[in-house]
């Protein structure tokens, strides 16, 4: 059993990506407002140009991992035995 599977099976009972997807769909307005505010503060505080690119890449990578490629299934469960 790999470390991630061991952790999510004990903490939350299903993969954290599924939990995060459920939270996104329940509180979508909060996530959008938070991301917009985060972008505003990063832009206003004049973070380094490279840091902005790295941050953007990371957010895109996470969003792609969580939301694209599979259909959203409310309450989706993970397979702890796999």
């Amino acid at each position: 059993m790999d470390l991630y599977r061991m952790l999510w099976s004990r903490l939350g009972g299903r993969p954290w990506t599924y939990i995060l997807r459920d939270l996104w769909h329940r509180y979508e307005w909060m996530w959008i407002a938070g991301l917009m505010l985060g972008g505003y503060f990063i832009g206003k505080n004049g973070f380094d140009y490279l840091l902005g690119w790295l941050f953007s890449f990371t957010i895109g990578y996470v969003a792609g991992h969580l939301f694209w490629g599979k259909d959203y299934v409310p309450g989706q469960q993970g397979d702890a035995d796999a």
Side-chain angles (χ1 to χ4, degrees):
M1 182 180 280
D2 63 17
L3 179 63
Y4 177 63
R5 184 171 285 120
M6 182 183 71
L7 286 173
W8 70 250
S9 64
R10 287 172 174 68
L11 303 171
R14 59 193 186 122
W16 298 331
T17 53
Y18 296 163
I19 294 170
L20 191 57
R21 286 173 78 181
D22 285 343
L23 288 173
W24 170 270
H25 286 279
R26 268 192 208 139
Y27 305 106
E28 190 170 348
W29 60 271
M30 182 183 70
W31 285 90
I32 291 171
L35 289 170
M36 287 179 63
L37 283 172
Y40 170 77
F41 286 116
I42 286 175
K44 182 147 176 71
N45 292 325
F47 278 78
D48 185 45
Y49 185 70
L50 179 60
L51 181 61
W53 275 104
L54 291 173
F55 181 75
S56 298
F57 175 80
T58 302
I59 293 299
Y61 182 83
V62 170
H65 176 72
L66 293 176
F67 304 113
W68 291 307
K70 293 188 176 189
D71 291 332
Y72 170 62
V73 178
Q76 184 173 5
Q77 298 295 313
D79 184 15
D81 297 328

